Amino acid sequence: MRTLYQFHGGIHPPTDKTQSNQKPIAQSALPAKLVIPLHQHVGNSAKAVVETGERALKGQIIGRPEGHLSSAVHAPTSGTVAAIDLQPVAHPSGIPDLCITLIPDGLDEWALRDACEDWRALSHTDLRHRLRNAGVVGLGGAVFPSDMKLYAHKHKITTLVLNGAECEPYITCDDLLMRERAAEILQGAEIMRALLYADEVLIGIEDNKPEAINAMKAAVAAGGHARMEVIAVPTIYPGGGAKQLIRVLTGIEVAAGVRSTDLGVQCFNVGTAYSAWRAIRHGEPLISRIVTVTGNVDHPQNFETLIGTPVAELVAQAGALPGTTGYIMGGPMMGVLLPSDQAGVIKSTNCIIAASDKLFPPPKPVLPCIRCTRCADVCPAELQPQELYWFARAKNLTKAEDYHLFDCIECGACSYVCPSNIPLVQYYRFAKSEIWAQQAGKKAADAARERHEFRESRMEREKREKAEKLAAKEKAALAAAKEKAAVAHSPLPNPDKTTSHSTKLPNDGSQVAGYLPKGEGTNESLRELQVDDTIQLKIQAAIDHAKAQAAAIKPKNTGQLTPQQQAEIAEIEARRARIREIAKDATEEQPSK
Amino acid sequence: MLSALLAMSVIAIALGAVLGFAAIRFRVEGNPLVDKIDAVLPQTQCGQCGYPGCRPYATAIAEGLADINQCPPGGEEGIHKLADLLGMEFKPFGGETVTKPKAVAFIDESTCIGCTLCIQACPVDAIAGAAKQLHTVIASECTGCELCIPPCPVDCISMVAIIDTTTSWKWKYPVYALTPAPIDTP
C-alpha cells in the first residue's frame, strides 16, 4: 500500500456527480452548424487555412499552428466553410473572437488519416510533431499544447502523473472516459512515458469513482503495463489540481515559481492521454471530447461532442428544462458563465451546467470581512486569502503580489467557506489581470522608449555624418584650389608654345604641365612627363587639323551684303581681333605676375 | 591655541580631500530622479505636455519647471504614480485636458501619396515606407501619439481605438448591489 500525503486545506462540497454518471457516454447528434474558434489553447491563435465556401473533410486542418506555442484546429466533420468571422465564444468576457463556421454535410467523410501501427518506430520529434498537428492540448482545463510538455527535460522526469481525480462537483467526463476507454488512456500514457523517459506512471483517481478505479486497474493488468499504478486518492476539493495531486501522490511540494518538471514530475489529464493515443495510433486529431451536460436538464449525461457544437444544441439533447438562467462552462467552483448559448464547445469544455435559481440561488448579500481566517484554513496554496482580499480591494497590487497572489489557483474554496459571502476569487482575478495589464503596459513603454532613444541617436549620427561630409568636401575643394594656384604660378619654360596655343586650348594645368621640365613640377606633372611623347604629337596634330578645317570654312551668306552689313561685320571682326590681342597679352603677362 | 588651530585645519583639509575624492570617484552621471520619473511616464513621446518627448518632460519635472498633471496619455493613474514618487499631492488635470482611449494610427492606403512626412514625424519609427512608396503603420509599435496626423498633406491618417480582445480583456473590479441583510426577528 502506497503512502499518500496531504495538502493544506481543502473543502468537501456536495459532489453532485451521480446525476450524470449513471448512463454511458452518448454520441452527440450532428448539429446544424459548428462554430470553431481559432484560439482554443494557450499560446498563439491558429491561422485559418481554408476559405469561405470551401469544402472541408473531417479531420482536415482548418487552422494551422502559428509560432512556437500553438496548436492546430480541425474540421470536426465534413462540410462547407460558411464563414470565417467574429462569433461569440466560450469566454467570460463576452468578446467575440475569430471562428470558422462549418455547415456539416452529414456525410462525415474523413480526410486522409495518418495512422501508425507501431508508434515506437517513430522518432520522438515526429511524435511531438504529430501531436501538435493533431491539436492535442491539455483537456484538464489549462489547454496547454501537449507537445510542449513532452520534452525530455534537463532534470530527469521520474514520474508521470495521470490526473483522473476530477475533484470538482457535477463534472463526470473523466470518470466515464476512464470507465469506458481505460485501455486507450493507458496506451496514451505509454507514449507520454516514452517521450519523457519517465520511470513510473501514477494514475490518481478520487475514491468517489470506484467504477473508474476498477476499470483502470483491470486495464493496467490486462495491458501488462509495468510500473504503472492506479491510486485511489481521498475525495477532497481541489484534490484534482496538478500541484495538489502531485503532493498527494508523491509528497513533493511544488514551491512558488518552480515547475513540477524541475522536481522530476510531469502531470497530464486522462483525457489528454486518450486524445494523444487517438492522434498517434489512428491519426485522428482532437475534434471531439466528452462533455458532461448536467444541472437543470431532464436527463444529465455525458456526450461525445464535436468541437464547435453550439451549447444550446448540446443541452437540448439532454432535455433542457424551463427555468434555466444561464450556462456555466466547467464546474460550479471554477467555471465561468457563458455569455451566449450559441458559443461552440471548445477543447476545454469539460462540463456544461444549466444553471437555475433552484440549483444556484442568487448570492447572499456581501458583508464585511470579519477576519475569521476560515479562507486561510482551506486555501490549498497556503495563502492568506483575507490579506489578498484587502490588497486587491484597495488596488494595492504590489502588496498583493508580495503576498503571492500568483500562487492562487482560483479554486474558490475561500469563497465557498466565507461567512460574509465575499466573492474573493473575483477580487483575485481582477488583481491578476490588472497586474498583467500593467506589466504589458510597462513592456510596451520600455519598447517605445528604446525605439525613441534609438531614433534620437540615429538622427544625431546622421546630422554629424552630414556635417563631416560637408567639411571633407570643403577641405577637398580648398586643397584643389591651392594646387591649381600652385600649378598656375609655376614658371613656364616655353612661352612660344603657350602663346601659340593658349587661345585655342583650354587653360588646363595638365596640358601646361606636359611642357614642364623634369623635377620642377608636381606629382601630376611628373606623371605627365612620363607619358610617351607620341601622345603630345597626336594632340598637336589633331589641333592643327582642326585649325586647318576652321580656316577652310568659308563664311556663308556673304555674297550679297549691303554696305551697312559689311561695315557691321568689319566692326565685329575688328573687335574680335582686339580681344584676341588682349587675351594674348594677358597670357604672356601671367608668368611674370 | 596654535596647536588647536593647526589640528582643526588639518582635520578640515583631510575631510575636504576625502569629500573631494568621493565627489570625483562616486560621481553620478545625470539626475537619477529623471530616470525614475521617465520610467513612470507612458513613453508615447507625443509632446502633449509641451515638451518634445517623455524624457524632456521628466527632466522638467525633476527641475521643478513642469507640473505632474501634464501627461494625458498617462491618465489620472499616471499622476497618482508621479505624486507617489515625488511625495506630492495628487493634482487633477487642467480644464481642457481630456484623456482619450488608447488608439493606434491607421494610414488609408488608397489615399497615401508616399511623401514620407509622417515617417519623419513618428517619434518611435513605427511607420514603414519610402518616398513615393505606400506607407503603413506598424500597429504593435505605434504609441498613439498622433504626431503623424498634422504633417500629412492628404489627411490619410486616422486614429483607430484599440478594442479589447479575449487575450487583452481584464476581469472587472467586483461590484455588487448592497442589499440590506435580513434581520432575524426572534
Side-chain angles (χ1 to χ4, degrees), chain A residues 35 78 94 250 255 319 352 376 436 450 468 521 574 581:
Chain A
V35 184
S78 62
T250 64
I352 299 285
W436 281 322
E450 198 176 303
E468 275 169 7
E581 253 340 277

Side-chain angles (χ1 to χ4, degrees), chain A residues 236-247:
Chain A
I236 181 168
Y237 180 84
K243 281 187 177 183
Q244 283 69 36
L245 187 64
I246 289 170
R247 165 79 188 155

Side-chain angles (χ1 to χ4, degrees), chain A residues 80-331:
Chain A
T80 317
V81 177
I84 304 169
D85 57 1
L86 297 176
Q87 294 281 340
V89 291
H91 191 271
S93 65
I95 297 169
D97 204 4
L98 198 61
C99 296
I100 293 178
T101 307
L102 191 81
I103 305 292
D105 56 12
L107 300 172
D108 214 27
E109 186 185 337
W110 271 100
L112 190 68
R113 274 170 286 180
D114 191 6
C116 175
E117 290 283 343
D118 180 20
W119 59 268
R120 283 179 203 275
L122 297 176
S123 74
H124 287 187
T125 316
D126 193 15
L127 284 172
R128 277 189 285 268
H129 193 69
R130 280 169 185 247
L131 289 175
R132 176 177 154 102
N133 279 332
V136 177
V137 295
L139 296 182
V143 278
F144 193 88
S146 298
D147 56 300
M148 296 302 290
K149 278 174 80 181
L150 286 166
Y151 278 92
H153 218 256
K154 67 176 171 196
H155 301 276
K156 168 116 180 66
I157 304 281
T158 50
T159 311
L160 168 65
V161 170
L162 225 50
N163 189 343
E166 200 166 56
C167 61
E168 193 155 353
Y170 284 96
I171 309 173
T172 56
C173 61
D174 289 345
D175 183 3
L176 267 288
L177 184 78
M178 287 187 287
R179 288 189 205 181
E180 297 187 12
R181 303 174 192 178
E184 288 178 291
I185 294 170
L186 300 182
Q187 294 287 359
E190 286 294 350
I191 297 177
M192 289 170 165
R193 165 148 72 177
L195 282 170
L196 291 166
Y197 299 97
D199 300 330
E200 58 172 355
V201 180
L202 304 180
I203 303 163
I205 305 169
E206 280 195 349
D207 53 18
N208 61 355
K209 291 182 261 298
E211 298 93 339
I213 294 169
N214 289 336
M216 291 291 273
K217 276 188 172 160
V220 169
H225 297 282
R227 295 189 61 74
M228 191 181 270
E229 198 178 336
V230 178
I231 301 155
V233 297
T235 301
I236 181 168
Y237 180 84
K243 281 187 177 183
Q244 283 69 36
L245 187 64
I246 289 170
R247 165 79 188 155
V248 169
L249 291 177
T250 64
I252 294 171
E253 204 155 328
V254 184
V258 179
R259 285 161 204 251
S260 67
T261 47
D262 296 338
L263 304 168
V265 185
Q266 182 64 289
C267 183
F268 281 97
N269 178 265
V270 284
T272 315
Y274 173 75
S275 327
W277 172 250
R278 296 302 297 184
I280 299 293
R281 173 61 186 85
H282 302 285
E284 286 173 16
L286 183 48
I287 53 170
S288 67
R289 66 156 298 149
I290 319 281
V291 181
T292 309
V293 182
T294 181
N296 188 34
V297 289
D298 183 51
H299 40 276
Q301 199 174 356
N302 280 283
F303 290 92
E304 168 105 45
T305 313
L306 295 181
I307 303 295
T309 306
V311 167
E313 287 197 43
L314 175 63
V315 174
Q317 295 177 52
L321 292 176
T324 298
T325 50
Y327 297 103
I328 297 168
M329 184 177 93

Side-chain angles (χ1 to χ4, degrees), chain B residues 12-185:
Chain B
I13 289 166
L15 288 177
V18 167
L19 283 176
F21 171 75
I24 296 163
R25 180 70 183 77
F26 302 110
R27 189 184 161 79
V28 176
E29 286 297 333
N31 188 347
L33 186 60
V34 174
D35 281 332
K36 280 186 190 162
I37 298 171
D38 195 35
V40 171
L41 296 176
Q43 304 301 322
T44 42
Q45 318 293 351
C46 61
Q48 287 180 61
C49 50
Y51 294 89
C54 294
R55 204 174 170 83
Y57 178 46
T59 315
I61 294 176
E63 286 167 0
L65 299 172
D67 237 328
I68 56 169
N69 63 346
Q70 295 178 12
C71 177
E76 295 213 330
E77 206 179 319
I79 303 177
H80 275 295
K81 278 188 201 161
L82 283 174
D84 280 352
L85 178 66
L86 301 167
M88 292 164 82
E89 281 290 306
F90 170 77
K91 205 172 179 183
F93 281 116
E96 292 134 53
T97 321
V98 275
T99 48
K100 294 178 196 167
K102 277 197 150 197
V104 288
F106 174 75
I107 293 177
D108 178 6
E109 299 188 340
S110 59
T111 325
C112 176
I113 53 169
C115 69
T116 75
L117 289 178
C118 57
I119 294 179
Q120 290 162 39
C122 180
V124 291
D125 288 333
I127 302 179
K132 290 181 185 172
Q133 305 287 319
L134 200 64
H135 301 345
T136 194
V137 175
I138 306 164
S140 59
E141 307 292 351
C142 177
T143 63
C145 68
E146 303 190 4
L147 288 180
C148 52
I149 294 180
C152 180
V154 290
D155 284 337
C156 71
I157 306 177
S158 54
M159 298 306 290
V160 180
I162 300 172
I163 50 162
D164 260 349
T165 61
T166 47
T167 36
S168 70
W169 172 80
K170 293 192 286 185
W171 285 93
K172 300 287 171 289
Y173 188 76
V175 184
Y176 30 81
L178 286 173
T179 42
I183 300 157
D184 294 329
T185 42

